[in-house]
Amino acid sequence: MTEIETLERDLSAKIDAATTEAALEELRVGALGKKGVISQQMKTLGKMSPEERKEMGPALNGLKDRVAAAIDAKKTELEDAALEARLASEQIDVTLPVRPSPKGKIHPVSQVFEEITAIFSAMGFDVAEGPDIEDDFHNFTALNFPPDHPAREIHDTFFLEPKEDGERMVLRTHTSPVQIRTMKSKKPPIRIIIPGRTFRCDSDQTHTPMFHQVEGLVIDKETHMGHLKGTLEAFVKTFFEIDDVKTRFRPHFFPFTEPSAEMDIGYERVGKEIRFGQGSDWMEILGCGMVHPNVLTNCGLDPDEYQGFAFGMGVDRLAMLKYGIPDLRDFFAADARWLEHYGFDPLDQPNLATGLSR
Ligand code: PHE
């Protein structure tokens, strides 16, 4: 075998074996570059005798052309393979169903509203709503607050500028005015919850000037305190997702209920963690009572025919307790990192079948 044949065989084998364009380029430089083996051989032609050159010239040129062609062919082959691989990796199967990738989180307040709604709708409650800006009648008078009664002050009411006739609208201090609106517009039996924003001039770690409540109202002919207790006990068990919750009803005063109570649930503090259900400490979570006869009368219902119960709970407070969020003010700071941490997956709708929270 001649020297040229050996060289050609060697180069062909290497070109065949090259797996990357970089390796191929290295081979090209090594063979055909200025200092490449073939180029070096070409330089020796000048020193040869005319006969020798006649034979070696075409041989070397042929070798050079064949090697260059082989490198080109291999280059095309590698480029094609790379493109194939890329197309395969970027392939999209359009027959697959859309894979949801939700962006953003559900705010704990919205989550708790949804959870409370899921629980009470399973018990047959409807949802009612009312305006954030209320008149004195719905927010106070119809709810049996006597005129100039200090209870109006307890609420730290935000008043709007007086209107031309002197009437001052308020930012509702509780969701109870929607009790009035509902009883005036609907015939009993009534079974509603009222989620909404409420406002009081107050701000610290557990109070913000705007906060959220869920009110409940049941009006029927034979409603009694047992129904109230049963409903609320069932509610807290489901809401806190524990079967065994200790509850306690403490006498209290609200102008619009009689008797009135506050409901506490048992808890204990283990280190920094708050455990609900048992323990020797009590935490107040809602106000409630039997609807006051004066309120029924104010709404055109006969208290000898109808009775009912009502309750109102702080949603933000429930969210803090259930999800261990220490400061209420962060709820309204619009900090995306906070929401990323405490928020909920938008596709996990709270429902009683698969669990309220996951
Ligand atoms: N409206 C009361 C409050 O905001 C709560 C409440 C509602 C109490 C219904 C009794 C009945 O404090």
Side-chain angles (χ1 to χ4, degrees):
M1 198 185 291
T2 68
E3 204 183 327
I4 289 182
E5 280 169 342
T6 317
L7 184 59
E8 182 163 4
R9 196 178 263 216
D10 179 42
L11 284 171
S12 302
K14 285 186 176 148
I15 292 167
D16 262 355
T19 53
T20 63
E21 288 187 46
L24 197 61
E25 175 62 12
E26 208 172 294
L27 282 172
R28 191 191 63 77
V29 173
L32 306 171
K34 260 190 190 159
K35 292 181 180 159
V37 270
I38 298 180
S39 313
Q40 295 295 331
Q41 299 250 2
M42 301 283 254
K43 281 186 193 151
T44 63
L45 286 174
K47 292 179 194 136
M48 291 177 190
S49 64
E51 293 76 39
E52 248 184 326
R53 193 180 306 136
K54 214 171 166 190
E55 194 196 318
M56 285 302 282
L60 276 172
N61 269 321
L63 171 67
K64 184 179 144 192
D65 290 348
R66 287 192 301 280
V67 167
I71 288 175
D72 275 352
K74 183 71 182 183
K75 190 164 180 232
T76 312
E77 190 187 305
L78 286 176
E79 280 170 357
D80 286 354
L83 181 62
E84 285 301 325
R86 194 172 138 207
L87 286 176
S89 76
E90 289 177 3
Q91 193 178 38
I92 295 169
D93 183 349
V94 291
T95 65
L96 282 175
V98 178
R99 200 177 302 145
S101 54
K103 289 258 172 359
K105 289 284 177 91
I106 300 292
H107 195 284
V109 169
S110 306
Q111 168 78 15
V112 168
F113 268 137
E114 293 293 328
E115 293 181 16
I116 295 174
T117 307
I119 296 168
F120 282 104
S121 36
M123 292 194 228
F125 284 65
D126 287 336
V127 174
E129 285 181 307
D132 290 358
I133 296 176
E134 266 297 3
D135 52 30
D136 182 88
F137 174 78
H138 288 91
N139 198 81
F140 294 118
T141 307
L143 286 162
N144 200 34
F145 286 79
D148 303 318
H149 190 278
R152 293 179 190 229
E153 312 273 300
I154 293 172
H155 278 190
D156 300 315
T157 312
F158 285 114
F159 289 94
L160 273 67
E161 290 294 328
K163 296 200 280 195
E164 266 173 24
D165 61 6
E167 188 190 356
R168 297 186 85 182
M169 302 291 278
V170 300
L171 293 181
R172 68 174 174 193
T173 57
H174 48 179
T175 39
S176 304
V178 189
Q179 286 190 31
I180 306 300
R181 293 182 176 276
T182 309
M183 284 188 273
K184 283 176 88 79
S185 63
K186 249 179 87 171
K187 247 184 82 66
I190 291 170
R191 212 185 277 169
I192 51 157
I193 54 164
I194 305 152
R197 270 188 287 272
T198 47
F199 308 84
R200 291 179 203 176
C201 188
D202 207 350
S203 183
D204 61 34
Q205 199 178 351
T206 53
H207 295 89
T208 49
M210 189 281 299
F211 57 106
H212 300 89
Q213 287 191 336
V214 169
E215 188 93 3
L217 176 70
V218 172
I219 304 284
D220 208 339
K221 290 190 170 159
E222 277 156 18
T223 325
H224 55 70
M225 197 84 186
H227 295 134
L228 164 63
K229 288 183 77 172
T231 304
L232 291 176
E233 273 167 15
F235 165 73
V236 287
K237 280 180 194 166
T238 320
F239 179 74
F240 286 106
E241 300 176 69
I242 27 182
D243 287 335
D244 202 12
V245 191
K246 257 190 348 186
T247 54
R248 171 173 91 171
F249 287 79
R250 252 183 313 102
H252 197 74
F253 173 78
F254 298 105
F256 38 92
T257 45
E258 181 59 38
S260 302
E262 277 187 333
M263 182 172 144
D264 300 339
I265 58 171
Y267 77 96
E268 71 185 323
R269 213 177 268 275
V270 184
K272 274 191 172 172
E273 194 191 337
I274 288 181
R275 291 213 187 124
F276 292 105
Q278 299 300 313
S280 54
D281 291 324
W282 295 99
M283 187 172 300
E284 179 241 313
I285 60 158
L286 56 83
C288 58
M290 300 305 293
V291 178
H292 197 291
N294 290 354
V295 174
L296 294 169
T297 312
N298 290 341
C299 297
L301 295 174
D302 177 359
D304 290 326
E305 190 181 1
Y306 291 109
Q307 306 104 48
F309 65 82
F311 56 86
M313 46 195 158
V315 172
D316 316 270
R317 163 72 84 91
L318 287 173
M320 288 174 82
L321 293 178
K322 180 165 177 183
Y323 295 114
I325 308 173
D327 194 323
L328 183 59
R329 289 166 295 195
D330 294 336
F331 276 57
F332 312 113
D335 185 333
R337 294 162 304 176
W338 182 90
L339 192 58
E340 182 60 36
H341 180 75
Y342 284 111
F344 292 82
D345 189 325
L347 293 170
D348 284 344
Q349 276 289 320
N351 71 78
L352 296 180
T354 57
L356 285 177
S357 57
R358 272 182 283 172

